[in-house]
Amino acid sequence: MKHTQAIRTVSLLLLLPLTGLAAGNQVAVKAVNKLPLARAGQTIELSTKDLAPLGETDLHKIHIRDAAGKEVLCQAVDTDFDAYHKADIVIFQADFAPGETKTFTVSSGRKQVYTKAQFRAHGRFVRERFDDFAWENDRIAHRMYGKGLETWLGEPLTSSTVDVWTKRVPQMVIDEWYMVDNYHADTGQGADFYSAGATRGCGGNGLWADNKLWVSKNFVDSRVLADGPIRVMFELVYEPFEVSGKQVAEVKRITLDAGSNLDHFQSFYKPQGEAGPLTSGIGLKKVAGETKTLNPEHGWMAIWQQVEKNQGLEGVALVVDPKALTQATEDKQNHLLLVKVAPDNSISYWAGFGWDKSGQFADAEAWKNYVDQFAQGMQSPIEVTISEAPAK
């Protein structure tokens, strides 16, 4: 399949000790696709520890070349949002044939400077639209709603849903769409045809208790951790909300890499007082005439449905850890996957969509194949080995 999901997590097998490498040496990266599937746009992460032999503390100066010596686009990312806001990983992407092994060389040099054309992921807080947060890559776009929308007299909405913006072009569009303020009409780039409302939309979640879904209101704060060119990553902060008589606060982290139709969602819950094990309910909005497929063994649910205003067809999907999946259920507005929250009160899952008018997915079968291969990739990430680069 041509379009496969970018892997956000890699398995690092450090086969050779790095302590003997002198500062300034190059580092060799060996990446192996162990699946019998072609996998395009796989994201590989290199940590500060992996890069320590280079002797470079500013990860924005890291450069990566493939086996042919061609420089590969890379991005330094701050994953922990510490007080220094200093990058702690470097990411890059590569395409893999079934079972293919690739090698790369890492070195340090001048600070990376990107051109506008290189950006394939972007996101921002949109204060002028009553506190939206919007984000996109070269395939999809979304928005979620901030506190300002709750009290807007024009069209107030209280919801922690995930909205869908269908786009048919690879370039970044959200800034232009907000500027022109005509994004409900398709003028050649796509549009917002999706009415998320108070549903879970495309991957919104909550906590399941007493046989019902309890959800937060609109986010009250946001922070951007990465803004392209490969990855957009940000956090949304939610005030405590009621879950069966108890208050639970939430921070949601969302990550989207270039080339992917599925976002990575992580929720970090903080119950007030003692609380037993939590269960998250992750949802997809119900649409009349939809076709739903559930694959609990691989941990996914996919739906093929009509786009509003007769604007074609789209697929939406959820991918979860099959070991954490307890059951599929539904409420009045949503199809739901119930997933056990980890002992540290966090949850991780993927959700996203594809539009037939984008040219990415022709039909329901193509969408299901994509989702299934994505789920397989999550269970078998690209295997990465770090070693000293051969002397030249």
Side-chain angles (χ1 to χ4, degrees), residues 3-83:
H3 299 297
T4 56
Q5 164 62 18
I7 299 300
R8 294 167 173 75
T9 308
V10 293
S11 174
L12 298 179
L13 303 182
L14 306 181
L15 302 184
L16 294 177
L18 300 182
T19 53
L21 298 181
N25 279 6
Q26 294 182 332
V27 168
V29 176
K30 177 183 176 183
V32 182
N33 172 22
K34 292 201 166 183
L35 289 178
L37 303 171
R39 300 166 73 176
Q42 302 299 283
T43 301
I44 296 170
E45 299 183 356
L46 303 177
S47 69
T48 303
K49 180 180 178 182
D50 301 329
L51 300 170
L54 300 177
E56 178 57 71
T57 59
D58 184 355
L59 299 191
H60 295 277
K61 294 182 179 181
I62 297 300
H63 293 257
I64 299 173
R65 296 184 181 277
D66 63 18
K70 182 180 178 181
E71 182 147 8
V72 178
L73 183 69
C74 65
Q75 176 186 347
V77 176
D78 172 18
T79 65
D80 57 12
F81 204 71
D82 60 14

Side-chain angles (χ1 to χ4, degrees), residues 322-334:
K323 299 183 184 67
L325 176 63
T326 61
Q327 71 176 93
T329 188
E330 61 183 70
D331 61 17
K332 184 178 180 180
Q333 296 180 310
N334 309 286

Side-chain angles (χ1 to χ4, degrees), residues 4 29-42 44 66-68 93-104 380-385:
T4 56
V29 176
K30 177 183 176 183
V32 182
N33 172 22
K34 292 201 166 183
L35 289 178
L37 303 171
R39 300 166 73 176
Q42 302 299 283
I44 296 170
D66 63 18
Q93 293 186 315
D95 300 336
F96 291 85
E100 184 180 17
T101 296
K102 286 191 170 184
T103 58
F104 304 89
S380 181
I382 298 297
E383 187 177 275
V384 175
T385 304

Side-chain angles (χ1 to χ4, degrees), residues 308-368:
E308 294 175 37
K309 300 180 182 179
N310 295 315
Q311 292 295 326
L313 298 165
E314 66 186 355
V316 294
L318 302 176
V319 176
V320 303
D321 180 354
K323 299 183 184 67
L325 176 63
T326 61
Q327 71 176 93
T329 188
E330 61 183 70
D331 61 17
K332 184 178 180 180
Q333 296 180 310
N334 309 286
H335 299 286
L336 299 166
L337 294 183
L338 303 186
V339 178
K340 292 181 290 186
V341 175
D344 65 355
N345 289 326
S346 70
I347 186 172
S348 173
Y349 65 94
W350 290 261
F353 71 96
W355 185 32
D356 67 347
K357 287 191 176 183
S358 71
Q360 298 164 12
F361 305 98
D363 53 31
E365 286 304 311
W367 177 240
K368 287 190 294 184

Side-chain angles (χ1 to χ4, degrees), residues 2-191:
K2 183 178 179 181
H3 299 297
T4 56
Q5 164 62 18
I7 299 300
R8 294 167 173 75
T9 308
V10 293
S11 174
L12 298 179
L13 303 182
L14 306 181
L15 302 184
L16 294 177
L18 300 182
T19 53
L21 298 181
N25 279 6
Q26 294 182 332
V27 168
V29 176
K30 177 183 176 183
V32 182
N33 172 22
K34 292 201 166 183
L35 289 178
L37 303 171
R39 300 166 73 176
Q42 302 299 283
T43 301
I44 296 170
E45 299 183 356
L46 303 177
S47 69
T48 303
K49 180 180 178 182
D50 301 329
L51 300 170
L54 300 177
E56 178 57 71
T57 59
D58 184 355
L59 299 191
H60 295 277
K61 294 182 179 181
I62 297 300
H63 293 257
I64 299 173
R65 296 184 181 277
D66 63 18
K70 182 180 178 181
E71 182 147 8
V72 178
L73 183 69
C74 65
Q75 176 186 347
V77 176
D78 172 18
T79 65
D80 57 12
F81 204 71
D82 60 14
Y84 296 99
H85 302 303
K86 189 174 182 180
D88 47 73
I89 65 169
V90 171
I91 63 173
F92 67 99
Q93 293 186 315
D95 300 336
F96 291 85
E100 184 180 17
T101 296
K102 286 191 170 184
T103 58
F104 304 89
T105 302
V106 186
S107 60
S108 61
R110 293 183 178 180
K111 184 177 180 179
Q112 293 279 359
V113 177
Y114 305 112
T115 65
K116 180 180 177 181
Q118 289 177 303
F119 277 78
R120 298 171 60 209
H122 169 56
R124 72 176 181 95
F125 175 63
V126 190
R127 183 178 297 279
E128 69 271 23
R129 223 301 296 195
F130 306 100
D131 298 350
D132 284 355
F133 198 102
W135 72 101
E136 65 182 316
N137 67 1
D138 50 341
R139 298 172 72 81
I140 60 174
H142 295 278
R143 69 171 164 179
M144 295 180 73
Y145 303 121
K147 192 171 183 62
L149 191 60
E150 293 181 6
T151 55
W152 177 37
L153 295 181
E155 192 178 344
L157 177 63
T158 298
S159 178
S160 53
T161 188
V162 180
D163 196 12
V164 165
W165 282 14
T166 47
K167 56 185 286 189
R168 61 168 95 228
V169 293
Q171 63 261 34
M172 303 295 95
V173 300
I174 60 173
D175 289 340
E176 179 182 344
W177 287 11
Y178 276 111
M179 180 177 65
V180 176
D181 194 20
N182 189 34
Y183 48 80
H184 290 101
D186 186 356
T187 59
Q189 296 181 326

